[in-house]
Amino acid sequence: MSEPTRVLIADDQALVRGSFRVLVESDPGLVVVGEAATGAEAVELVGRERPDVVLMDVRMPELDGIEATRRVSGSTRVLILTTFDLDEYVYAALRAGASGFLLKDTPPADLLAAVKVVAAGDALITPSVMRRLVAEFAGRPDQPPTHSLSGVTDRELDVLTLIARGLSNAEITQRLYLSMATVKTHIGRLLAKLHARDRAQLVIIAYESGLVRAAQREG
């Protein structure tokens, strides 16, 4: 049998941490390796316990969840959980290296599935969050791009644009009339060329290169 996915829970409310622990450990494929009440504790525990996934609250004392995510994202995957459905948190969390963003009222089964998706190396951003990100960036005034897309082919740009708009791989295959294998190949090449760890980072690169705003204007 494979080893269970190791999960760290970071939230400043003991009741919330306890509830998440019970939920996570109800799945035989997951195990909680620690709890942190502050962002600083989360950073310390990540260094000591080496979890596969951190469930990270945004608002915590000493060090908030965004900064804690920035400090640990190179060594573990972070799934942001918050009661605050605000654009500034979504963008900041993803830019800090988070692999997913969910609200705390997400159904238990969906939260457990999200942990497994993130642990497997994929990114998870709910469609509603993605739509709001697209709307926010499309409405911003043009800014100098902070990422280069040089070396990316036209077809890869098509795929990247659709990823940034929140389409799944299956939806991309239908939109571009490609096979699933071909779409996955394009995504793999995008990850390599843009030095991105996962789909969430591709989304940020698409925004900060100006690709999303350009695509919005073109319809």
Side-chain angles (χ1 to χ4, degrees):
M1 294 180 63
S2 61
E3 292 293 320
T5 297
R6 296 164 55 82
V7 181
L8 175 68
I9 300 169
D11 194 290
D12 62 342
Q13 298 183 44
L15 184 59
V16 172
R17 292 197 307 274
S19 298
F20 281 143
R21 175 183 280 273
V22 170
L23 173 61
V24 169
E25 295 194 330
S26 71
D27 190 308
L30 306 174
V31 61
V32 175
V33 297
E35 297 180 19
T38 70
E41 285 182 14
V43 173
E44 179 185 353
L45 281 173
V46 166
R48 188 165 74 236
E49 299 295 339
R50 300 296 178 185
D52 300 304
V53 177
V54 180
L55 295 180
M56 185 83 76
D57 187 24
V58 171
R59 291 188 172 181
M60 290 187 290
E62 295 183 23
L63 195 69
D64 66 34
I66 304 300
E67 181 57 32
T69 295
R70 186 173 290 109
R71 296 187 188 187
V72 305
S73 61
S75 56
T76 187
R77 295 189 176 274
V78 178
L79 181 57
I80 295 287
L81 288 166
T82 182
T83 55
F84 302 97
D85 186 15
L86 300 177
D87 291 323
E88 61 186 278
Y89 289 138
V90 177
Y91 179 58
L94 295 177
R95 204 168 190 279
S99 294
F101 187 101
L102 291 175
L103 298 181
K104 287 182 179 177
D105 62 0
T106 297
D110 291 349
L111 192 149
L112 293 176
V115 171
K116 294 175 183 178
V117 166
V118 169
D122 206 345
L124 189 142
I125 311 172
T126 59
S128 61
V129 168
M130 186 70 77
R131 284 194 298 270
R132 291 168 63 250
L133 273 173
V134 171
E136 176 192 356
F137 276 83
R140 286 185 176 187
D142 286 338
Q143 298 175 354
T146 56
H147 284 279
S148 170
L149 298 177
S150 62
V152 179
T153 68
D154 289 344
R155 181 53 87 186
E156 288 164 355
L157 287 176
D158 292 339
V159 172
L160 181 58
T161 299
L162 296 180
I163 288 173
R165 287 178 170 173
L167 273 66
S168 66
N169 286 3
E171 291 169 330
I172 294 172
T173 65
Q174 295 175 359
R175 184 71 65 87
L176 299 180
Y177 303 103
L178 299 173
S179 70
M180 181 65 73
T182 300
V183 169
K184 289 181 177 179
T185 296
H186 284 314
I187 292 174
R189 288 174 179 165
L190 284 167
L191 291 170
K193 289 180 178 181
L194 300 176
H195 307 289
R197 187 177 66 179
D198 56 29
R199 200 181 193 93
Q201 291 190 346
L202 288 179
V203 171
I204 293 299
I205 290 170
Y207 293 151
E208 296 191 339
S209 67
L211 177 67
V212 168
R213 289 189 294 276
Q216 288 283 328
R217 284 196 301 270
E218 293 166 7

